[in-house]
Amino acid sequence: MEIFLIRVLQFILAISLLVLLHEGGHFFFAKLFGVRVEKFYIFFDWKFSLFKFKPKNSDTEYGIGWLPLGGYCKISGMIDESFDTEQMKQPVQQYEFRAKPAWQRLLIMIGGVLVNFLLALFIYGQILFWWGDTYVPVKDMTLGMKFNEEAKSYGFRDGDILIGTEKHAFKDFSADLYRDISEAHRVDIVRDSKPMSITLPGELNLLGMLKADPSFVRPLLPAEVDSILPGTPAAKIGMKKGDHILALNGKPVDSYNEFISLLGVQQDLLATAKTPADSLKARTVTLVFGNSEQADTVTTQLTRDLKLGFVVKSITGLYQPVTIEYGFFESIPAGIKYGWHVLASYVDDMKYVFSADGAKSLGGFGAIGSLFPPTWDWYMFWKMTAFLSIILAFMNILPIPALDGGHVLFLLYEMVTRRKPSEQFMIRAEYVGFGILILLMVVANLNDILRWLGYL
């Protein structure tokens, strides 16, 4: 419960900040051009609000809604999600959005996206300034990688040390490494201390590589016990630091990666269990563990979530990380470069959304919230906030009615043709766009529920 609350608090804080600044971007340009803003809300206030106030001599009501699906800035004389069609029937007033020239309306509409994008670049720059860039170079992972069967079909072998592609060297183990491999025609490796290359088609399915179980490639972790959690099956059977897992249910274990894969078999058995006896059978395993002098064979029961209760060394425990530090002025262009790379990668990955697997990968509030760390970590909080800011900027600029990008599309049409789309058309487009957004939100959050139930 504590982990859940910490993630919820981080998610609410990040979303509140991003919505506040996004709507603030619209608000700033509206006020700059003398357009009246009737309401400025974080979250939606359908039927009622948690808090609201209207300063004396102000045209704007400020508040916090109860429905955490975003926020809005209600601008006079504009067809938006409020669907205030009665206002549009009245004579045009000078302070209304529709009374302003197209270029001013365009800036008002892109204000939110602009602020979100600039915010992400600023946060990335500050992250580099305060924390630097710490990572373990892939070439320094001297134990090499563990590959799945698809990767091995292209010529990779367990223990290969990845160096780079024909384009550039690998930096760290991240989604970028998968992306580079998926697009590569040649991957340079070191095998048994000898440099060599693997030829690839240059068009591997990135989403498939990431979703595969086991995944296409992951760092090889020794099956060596680093610590034991008290009261767990590992502690009860006498396992101690330095022991190696040698076999599970009669199958040899050459790495921690292999151990986790074999536990997946037990997970499948547990998922199909129909009786308590079936569950107990799925949780019962025969384990061989020990060191170079002695090996023990025991039969034990795993916990209900199929844990044995030991911990191995992490990547940063096995290898020495490097840190690149940035001065304040150095962090600005570095943050811009990093943010632009994140945006370009996200846009490039959008093509997978239109596939069957991509649609299943859509996530709602649960998926987004789970991206935050289980403990309060300001570094990860700000990194996730910057990433969400880029996503919010990109999604809002899509040319879908009801989003900022839909309004921008119609404004560009007006600027090119010198003709405004009719108000009736705009109202209908807003309804269509709003319906599309609701549908996407339902699908994304339904996916979260299905994942939680184990169907995805």
Side-chain angles (χ1 to χ4, degrees):
M1 179 58 73
E2 181 182 355
I3 291 175
F4 173 76
L5 290 176
I6 289 174
R7 280 179 164 153
V8 168
L9 286 173
Q10 291 181 90
F11 173 70
I12 291 177
L13 179 58
I15 290 298
S16 298
L17 176 64
L18 296 180
V19 170
L20 174 66
L21 294 177
H22 178 90
E23 299 304 330
H26 295 307
F27 184 88
F28 171 78
F29 282 106
K31 288 296 186 182
L32 181 66
F33 299 130
V35 176
R36 179 180 294 177
V37 178
E38 298 175 15
K39 298 178 77 172
F40 184 94
Y41 266 73
I42 299 177
F43 305 149
F44 291 113
D45 61 328
W46 183 64
K47 299 296 184 182
F48 69 95
S49 61
L50 299 178
F51 167 79
K52 65 180 178 180
F53 77 99
K54 189 173 185 179
K56 188 177 180 180
N57 300 323
S58 173
D59 297 314
T60 307
E61 176 184 295
Y62 301 88
I64 300 176
W66 64 273
L67 192 59
L69 301 180
Y72 70 100
C73 192
K74 189 176 186 309
I75 297 173
S76 295
M78 176 183 168
I79 299 172
D80 58 13
E81 59 270 22
S82 67
F83 298 107
D84 188 357
T85 56
E86 290 302 317
Q87 184 186 70
M88 304 304 293
K89 297 176 182 178
Q90 306 303 317
V92 178
Q93 302 297 321
Q94 187 57 36
Y95 58 76
E96 290 185 329
F97 177 82
R98 54 181 171 167
K100 303 302 177 180
W103 68 271
Q104 291 185 5
R105 286 180 278 136
L106 180 64
L107 286 174
I108 292 172
M109 291 317 307
I110 66 173
V113 168
L114 181 63
V115 167
N116 280 135
F117 185 60
L118 293 177
L119 174 67
L121 300 184
F122 173 77
I123 293 176
Y124 281 131
Q126 290 301 297
I127 288 173
L128 293 174
F129 173 64
W130 289 102
W131 286 282
D133 186 11
T134 300
Y135 62 96
V136 175
V138 175
K139 66 180 180 60
D140 291 348
M141 296 182 185
T142 52
L143 294 175
M145 298 287 159
K146 185 78 173 175
F147 299 89
N148 68 6
E149 292 305 314
E150 180 191 5
K152 289 177 181 177
S153 71
Y154 291 111
F156 291 105
R157 292 184 189 172
D158 291 340
D160 287 348
I161 302 171
L162 297 176
I163 303 299
T165 70
E166 73 272 13
K167 294 181 180 179
H168 51 71
F170 296 124
K171 180 188 175 186
D172 57 355
F173 190 85
S174 64
D176 285 337
L177 180 139
Y178 281 83
R179 186 175 291 104
D180 289 342
I181 293 178
S182 71
E183 299 172 352
H185 291 278
R186 188 193 79 233
V187 176
D188 299 324
I189 64 170
V190 172
R191 178 182 295 167
D192 299 328
S193 302
K194 297 178 181 178
M196 60 182 300
S197 297
I198 303 290
T199 300
L200 294 178
E203 50 185 21
L204 298 181
N205 185 299
L206 175 60
L207 185 60
M209 293 170 65
L210 290 168
K211 290 189 66 176
D213 185 20
S215 55
F216 189 90
V217 57
R218 61 268 194 222
L220 193 152
L221 299 175
E224 180 180 354
V225 177
D226 187 56
S227 62
I228 302 292
L229 303 178
T232 60
K236 293 176 182 178
I237 63 176
M239 190 178 288
K240 57 185 181 296
K241 181 175 180 176
D243 283 342
H244 285 76
I245 307 298
L246 304 175
L248 181 68
N249 291 338
K251 296 183 179 179
V253 171
D254 61 1
S255 63
Y256 183 66
N257 313 75
E258 185 67 23
F259 176 73
I260 294 299
S261 294
L262 291 175
L263 281 183
V265 176
Q266 306 305 120
Q267 183 66 57
D268 293 339
L269 292 174
L270 187 62
T272 58
K274 294 182 175 151
T275 66
D278 291 337
S279 297
L280 182 62
K281 183 178 179 181
R283 291 169 46 215
T284 303
V285 296
T286 300
L287 188 73
V288 181
F289 67 93
N291 49 46
S292 57
E293 298 179 355
Q294 180 182 353
D296 297 315
T297 301
V298 298
T299 298
T300 187
Q301 293 175 13
L302 304 175
T303 62
R304 293 188 180 278
D305 56 352
L306 295 184
K307 301 293 184 184
L308 190 56
F310 72 94
V311 178
V312 299
K313 285 184 178 180
S314 64
I315 293 297
T316 53
L318 288 170
Y319 308 107
Q320 182 64 42
V322 300
T323 299
I324 301 175
E325 297 184 348
Y326 293 86
F328 180 77
F329 293 106
E330 293 175 312
S331 69
I332 297 173
I336 293 173
K337 180 179 179 182
Y338 186 86
W340 186 259
H341 171 72
V342 171
L343 175 63
S345 300
Y346 183 76
V347 172
D348 183 59
D349 293 346
M350 282 297 292
K351 61 178 177 284
Y352 294 106
V353 173
F354 302 100
S355 66
D357 286 339
K360 293 178 183 177
S361 298
L362 287 175
F365 298 115
I368 296 172
S370 67
L371 296 176
F372 287 92
T375 57
W376 199 282
D377 182 330
W378 283 111
Y379 170 79
M380 288 304 300
F381 170 80
W382 287 116
K383 197 168 185 179
M384 274 305 308
T385 300
F387 180 60
L388 291 178
S389 193
I390 281 188
I391 292 177
L392 186 60
F394 176 75
M395 296 303 292
N396 264 282
I397 205 61
L398 291 176
I400 299 174
L403 290 177
D404 296 341
H407 292 281
V408 168
L409 178 66
F410 296 136
L411 280 167
L412 291 175
Y413 168 82
E414 178 185 340
M415 293 172 75
V416 171
T417 64
R418 305 289 183 178
R419 291 185 301 169
K420 280 187 179 182
S422 69
E423 290 182 359
Q424 191 63 33
F425 171 82
M426 293 294 289
I427 291 171
R428 289 175 179 173
E430 195 76 11
Y431 275 114
V432 170
F434 200 73
I436 292 173
L437 295 182
I438 293 296
L439 177 62
L440 288 174
M441 193 173 298
V442 169
V443 170
N445 285 283
L446 180 60
N447 282 350
D448 284 351
I449 295 172
L450 292 176
R451 287 190 197 97
W452 182 67
L453 293 173
Y455 291 105
L456 274 182

